[in-house]
Every structure is written in C-alpha cells, then in structure tokens.
Amino acid sequence: MLLVLPGGRAESLDPPPRLGLARLRMRVFAAAVRRRVGDAALTTAEVHYRHRGWNGPQAHPVADARAAVRELVAHAPDVRIVLLGHSMGGRAALAAADEPQVVGAVLLAPWCEPVDGAEHLRGRRIVVLHDPADQVTSARKSRAFATRAARAGADVRYLDVPRGGHAMLAGAGDWHRLAASAVTALLAAGPLPGAPPDAPAPGLTPG
C-alpha cells in the first residue's frame, strides 16, 4: 500500500481545497510511481487533512496521517504501508513513520526543521529526494535531518535531484523513477537507492 501525503501550508486552519494543486500534483505523481513500480497489487490511498496547515505544535497533519494508517490497518491487518510525502506531507510522514505497519517513507522535497526529533525512526527505512535549488523548503535542512535520523538508527538514503525545484515539474520523469525505485526497495526489503546522508552528494545517477 502506498499512502500519499500532499503538501500544505505552515499555518492555516482552513480545510484543504477539494481540487487543490497540492493534491492534484501528488495524485499524478503517485500514479506515475505505481506504473513504474510495476506491481499490479500495489494500491494507493491519500491522507485527507482536516486543516490545510501544520499549525505549530498542534501538528495537525501528523494526527491525520496516523489516523489514515490505522484506518487502513483496521480494514487489512496485514497491510504493509509505504508513506510518500511531499513538502509538509514529508514532514508529517517522518513524524508518523513509527507506526508499526509502516515499512518506510519516501520524502519529496520535505519540510524539515532542526526541532524535529528523529529518535522514533530507529530501525525505519527512509529515502529523501530534494533539489538543492529548492526555494520553498531547504535541501540543507533535509540532509541535516537525514543525518540525525541515521545517527538515531534509521536506514536513510539521501539523493540530490538537480532540477525540478519544489514543484518537481521539470525533470518529473527523474523524480518518478527515483521514487519508484525507493518504493520498490522498501516493499521488497531490498537495497535502498542513493547514499547515506553524510556522504558527499552524488547527484542524479543516469539510468
């Protein structure tokens, strides 16, 4: 099961728009990843946020992500879930990745902050993709969080994707390919793509 977490805003108690760009972007992205994974049995679900924003210590999307995971498990107790989160959704995925049925998370241009803890990710498998030129969220902070998570005992891989910005529109095929590779590895318990976060940035590998 691929559970998709769209982006949002730092602060907003408004409900997300039904057809907002954040949701549409991730639906297209998730469909492309599913096609590339090549597993007809892989299904996709989406976290539906109550509020559009993270909203400081309330961290509303985290509770929504955990509720979505538990709802899936209630219907299929043996389900294995990969979280696929973009921007704010990536931050929520990191916070909720300790749910027992979550086998790992793939983070796309995630919003990471120094205050975000990583100890709960011990034993989890995480792949982070970020364009160093992203002007909305910080690739430097993403790599720093990935390093903290690795030191806390997570199996983390970090990849610089040198185009696409925050919206991942330019070079979208590269983003889809790398995300699909990561999802496949997480579901199959195979080697993760990319390099440890404290290794020199390898850039985008051809293929």
Side-chain angles (χ1 to χ4, degrees):
M1 169 68 72
L2 188 64
L3 182 59
V4 177
L5 295 87
R9 294 183 174 179
E11 301 287 341
S12 176
L13 293 174
D14 293 336
R18 289 187 59 191
L19 295 177
L21 289 177
R23 294 178 68 179
L24 291 174
R25 177 189 298 120
M26 286 304 291
R27 288 178 183 178
V28 172
F29 199 102
V33 168
R34 272 191 68 195
R35 287 194 299 271
R36 286 175 176 264
V37 168
D39 182 354
L42 179 64
T43 56
T44 303
E46 179 184 322
V47 175
H48 295 283
Y49 303 134
R50 292 165 296 159
H51 306 290
R52 197 173 189 179
W54 182 269
N55 302 319
Q58 297 180 84
H60 287 124
V62 178
D64 296 336
R66 292 192 185 280
V69 169
R70 292 167 186 174
E71 182 177 351
L72 292 173
V73 173
H75 288 87
D78 296 328
V79 69
R80 300 168 69 247
I81 300 171
V82 172
L83 305 179
L84 179 67
H86 174 241
S87 193
M88 183 191 77
R91 191 179 190 186
L94 282 172
D98 59 347
E99 290 289 329
Q101 293 78 12
V102 172
V103 299
V106 181
L107 313 175
L108 312 170
W111 173 24
C112 298
E113 292 293 343
V115 297
D116 295 339
E119 294 77 10
H120 67 293
L121 296 175
R122 182 177 183 83
R124 291 297 189 264
R125 309 183 80 208
I126 309 291
V127 178
V128 183
L129 311 179
H130 215 136
D131 180 354
D134 190 334
Q135 297 298 303
V136 178
T137 57
S138 167
R140 177 183 56 81
K141 289 182 179 180
S142 285
R143 185 186 283 272
F145 181 91
T147 298
R148 295 201 305 278
R151 290 173 180 169
D155 184 8
V156 186
R157 296 294 182 271
Y158 181 94
L159 295 96
D160 279 324
V161 186
R163 57 177 172 165
H166 193 66
M168 308 174 295
L169 296 178
D174 293 326
W175 286 87
H176 298 161
R177 173 176 60 82
L178 290 167
S181 177
V183 170
T184 300
L186 289 169
L187 290 172
L192 297 178
D198 54 357
L204 183 63
T205 55

